[in-house]
Amino acid sequence: MNKINTIHSRFVPLQEENVDTDQIIPARFLKATTREGFGKNLFRDWRYHNDNELEPKQDFILNDASYNGQILVAGKNFGCGSSREHAAWAIKDYGFLVVVSSFFADIFKNNALNNGLLPITVSEAFLASIFALDKEATLSVCLEKQTITIDATGAVETFDINAYKKTCLLNGYDDIDYLISNKAAIENFEKNRA
Amino acid sequence: MGKTLFEKIWDTHIVQEVTDGPSVLYIDKHFIHEVTSPQAFKGIEDRGISIFRPAQVVATADHNVPTLNQHLPITDALSRFQVDTLIENCKKHGIELYGLGHEHQGIVHVIGPELGITQPGMTIVCGDSHTSTHGAFGTIAFGIGTSEVEMVFASQCLLQTKPKLMRINIEGALGKGVVSKDIILYIIAKISASGATGYFVEYAGSVVRALSMEARMTICNMSIEMGARGGLIAPDQTTFDYIKGRTFAPAGAAWDTALAYWQTLYSDADAAFDVELTIDAAAIEPMITYGTNPGLGIGITKNVPTAADMQDDGEQKNLEKALQYMGLTAGQSLMGMPVQHVFIGSCTNSRIEDLRLVASLVKGKTKHPNVQVMIVPGSQKVAKQVVQEGLDIIFKEAGFEIRQAGCSACLGMNEDKVPAGEYCVSTSNRNFEGRQGAGARTLLASPLTAAASAVTGVITDVRTLL
């Protein structure tokens, strides 16, 4: 898995609440058997009319080339619904490394963390101040310090992250490495409960 | 202080605590299906490791299978490849597969319980958010992502942080025509689509105790629709009677041992919950959703809310967007509105009891000519039972189309879709934009309300037909 620590980037504001994983990646794209290539179908039905790449919906933020960056900023309850990890894969594959929201759905948050995509939960007020920025503005994220900063104003907020998950992201470790290293304890547990 | 039901199960499945981190949680049963498993199998192979406990994994094909002509090769090439990949992976790794054509095949959350694989006190996971269904048996059951599927393959464990606990007590008497789907839609409407995020929810109270296992599964199934990772109900005589004699249920001395343990699985009187709510069952009407998340639901006689009913600007904007997608107007009544489709199926409402409910209402009646009605049984077993009980005759005479088992139009992955702009009263669990097909407009309701609307061709208060 990729390592994450500091990110300095412009951002894409998606001012929607309850963005569910069916919007992030519609079910008809889940027929793939690999993890790659989902980015082109990210927010497919919000992005295109009639499922046609030649008919982009002009008012959708990903179709506005003046917005870009590695940080996606969205309204509360982001990633609700299905457990499909394809949602995290699609966001990552599109080029985002960080998703900022005031509230994440549980399964999406875990899926993001397991894929080197950093979910940052900020206060409603801080989220509103990001949405109020102009499109040239940049954000700085430091995972080590657990901070997110609006560069133009210097406004900074600290975010929570589980210490174990933080270590994983900083070093590019995944849970499987950890679990496999504990196989003796798992076998012991099985023996004792039998 | 006493323990909650959740804690009793959790504590006996902790292999190890991780300092400042999640715990290593042991998983008893791992269900897999064709859509969220291929990348996990590949991950295991790329790491050069084998599946740690293949005997604890059970596979079926449900999400991406056709519901017609299941004996023929799947026509969609991508779907066929995905289902074939599952077959190959299961063969290679020694995993039991209930694939198309197998008598045990069906929606993963229908077959687990009906085969007696799901048993009280277990930890159960599956790469599907509606794994919460199994909580109806007093299990810790929750949906996971594909990386987590790979973790369970590798170690039969997951790293999990203990969730907060909520108890929802449902007390009083249910009104006529009100069933378990209405209870859960009512709760979600009350606490919102994110109201239980971060929690596991225990459902309790006299109303829950009186419900059948099928009805309890419907409630636990939709826990995820209010953000809860899972829901659970303490097992009782209803649970034990349901499990006894099923294919994989313990028998003989093993049954006695299991039963003795299961009988200890309840929240102690002095156990503490982070949040506790009580719902008055008498306040619940048949429910229907009007919006694009399951929290946007109302009693069938109520009007769609207006901006004035919303708490903040964000909610107002959500309401406006949802109503625009749904082609509805703030303040309107839904009753009497024409619908073009009725879908009866999904892991929420495709069990035999659901189909009996539908049959009880439509017996001797026919569907409205403008409505297409599809019934998709949750499993091969349910489909067989439908025929044994003669329900198929009632459905055919009513003009309902009976399909073969699968997830079908609940998620619109196969051909079973609702055309753009058309309305579908659906017994499934999600009314998200495009969920049942691009542009499809889903109205979630109970099997009874769906059946009533199929007969009248318009959104109907089922109580007027009872």
Side-chain angles (χ1 to χ4, degrees), chain B residues 324-390:
Chain B
Q324 191 184 1
Y325 180 85
M326 293 297 293
L328 300 173
T329 315
Q332 80 166 89
S333 164
L334 294 179
M335 277 200 293
M337 203 180 85
V339 298
Q340 293 77 43
H341 302 267
V342 169
F343 172 65
I344 295 163
S346 88
C347 58
T348 312
N349 280 130
S350 66
R351 297 179 181 82
I352 190 65
E353 184 182 281
D354 299 314
L355 304 190
R356 284 185 196 135
L357 262 183
V358 173
S360 71
L361 193 107
V362 303
K363 189 171 185 181
K365 300 187 179 78
T366 53
K367 73 170 185 72
H368 189 276
N370 295 348
V371 187
Q372 285 186 309
V373 186
M374 198 195 275
I375 295 197
V376 184
S379 69
Q380 305 285 351
K381 254 192 169 52
V382 172
K384 212 163 136 186
Q385 219 170 335
V386 162
V387 175
Q388 280 165 353
E389 297 184 14

Side-chain angles (χ1 to χ4, degrees), chain B residues 15 34 119 142 191 209-210 270 352 379 408 420 427 450 458:
Chain B
V15 174
E34 73 278 22
Q119 295 167 19
F142 55 94
I191 73 170
R209 295 269 70 93
D270 56 345
I352 190 65
S379 69
S408 181
T427 67
V458 296

Side-chain angles (χ1 to χ4, degrees), chain B residues 254-276:
Chain B
W255 170 265
D256 296 335
T257 310
L259 185 63
Y261 168 55
W262 297 346
Q263 284 168 336
T264 67
L265 296 173
Y266 52 84
S267 289
D268 295 329
D270 56 345
F273 291 83
D274 299 288
V275 175
E276 188 146 12

Side-chain angles (χ1 to χ4, degrees), chain A residues 19-58:
Chain A
V19 174
D20 61 76
T21 53
D22 273 81
Q23 306 319 312
I24 299 173
I25 186 84
R28 63 185 183 278
F29 300 110
L30 308 188
K31 295 182 181 184
T33 52
T34 63
R35 292 171 181 249
E36 294 78 30
F38 289 99
K40 68 175 190 295
N41 296 318
L42 175 67
F43 294 115
R44 180 77 187 194
D45 292 334
W46 283 357
R47 244 161 113 186
Y48 305 113
H49 291 286
N50 307 312
D51 201 11
N52 185 348
E53 284 163 41
L54 300 176
E55 297 178 47
K57 292 184 178 175
Q58 296 303 342

Side-chain angles (χ1 to χ4, degrees), chain A residues 15 17 22 46 85 174 190, chain B residues 26 47 53 146-147 317:
Chain A
Q15 292 199 47
E17 296 180 356
D22 273 81
W46 283 357
E85 192 162 313
D174 67 28
E190 288 178 324
Chain B
Y26 190 81
R47 286 169 199 265
R53 294 289 179 251
T146 297
S147 293
K317 199 176 149 228

Side-chain angles (χ1 to χ4, degrees), chain A residues 166-187:
Chain A
K166 179 177 169 179
T167 309
C168 286
L169 288 173
L170 286 171
N171 296 290
Y173 300 156
D174 67 28
D175 288 1
I176 297 185
D177 301 330
Y178 181 85
L179 287 166
I180 292 174
S181 72
N182 279 282
K183 212 157 249 187
I186 297 168
E187 281 167 341

Side-chain angles (χ1 to χ4, degrees), chain A residues 64-118:
Chain A
D64 185 341
S66 64
Y67 288 97
N68 60 55
Q70 296 173 306
I71 303 173
L72 177 66
V73 183
K76 70 179 173 205
N77 200 24
F78 186 85
C80 58
S82 153
S83 64
R84 61 188 69 167
E85 192 162 313
H86 313 65
W89 298 336
I91 293 171
K92 187 88 186 295
D93 189 51
Y94 186 86
F96 293 113
L97 288 174
V98 175
V99 186
V100 178
S101 175
S102 55
F103 193 94
F104 287 96
D106 277 340
I107 306 181
F108 175 81
K109 187 153 95 181
N110 284 348
N111 287 343
L113 288 166
N114 285 333
N115 283 280
L117 175 68
L118 177 62

Side-chain angles (χ1 to χ4, degrees), chain B residues 97-130:
Chain B
L97 167 67
Y98 304 137
L100 285 183
H102 194 289
E103 61 172 344
H104 293 164
Q105 182 266 340
I107 304 175
V108 60
H109 311 308
V110 175
I111 66 165
E114 79 180 5
L115 291 171
I117 298 170
T118 302
Q119 295 167 19
M122 284 181 166
T123 49
I124 298 175
V125 295
C126 174
D128 186 279
S129 60
H130 293 110

